[in-house]
Amino acid sequence: MLQGAVLLTSTLVVVALILNIWRMLRGPDITDRILALDTLYINSIALIILLGLYNGSALYFEGALLIAMLGFVSTAALCKYLLRGDIIE
């Protein structure tokens, strides 16, 4: 039962990833593209966690944590660059 739920949820997350990539490529504004990139990180974290649940391994959770940290730092850097034009002051 759990395996079927994880497979169904992972297919829905993959659909969300595809829609995020579409928004990132065709976004009308740069802010929409940055938000799509941030959502892409979140959905990839969800997919990695679901893969860890499916395989029963705790190693995937560490990878998801690394992607979460990199996603936060890169989103903050992109927003700071967008607002000020310079990352390091």
Side-chain angles (χ1 to χ4, degrees), residues 2 5 10 19 21 25 28 31 39 42 47 54-55 63 69-70 72:
L2 181 65
S10 63
L19 290 174
I21 291 171
L25 295 176
T31 56
T39 310
I42 292 170
L47 190 63
Y54 186 75
N55 289 335
M69 289 187 303
L70 288 174
F72 173 74

Side-chain angles (χ1 to χ4, degrees), residues 44-68:
S44 65
I45 291 167
L47 190 63
I48 289 172
I49 288 174
L50 286 170
L51 186 65
L53 287 174
Y54 186 75
N55 289 335
S57 176
L59 187 63
Y60 292 101
F61 299 115
E62 293 177 10
L65 183 63
L66 284 172
I67 290 177

Side-chain angles (χ1 to χ4, degrees), residues 17 20 36-46 67-68 70-72 74-75 78:
L17 281 170
N20 284 330
L37 182 66
D38 189 42
T39 310
L40 189 73
Y41 285 129
I42 292 170
N43 286 337
S44 65
I45 291 167
I67 290 177
L70 288 174
F72 173 74
S74 66
T75 302
L78 280 172

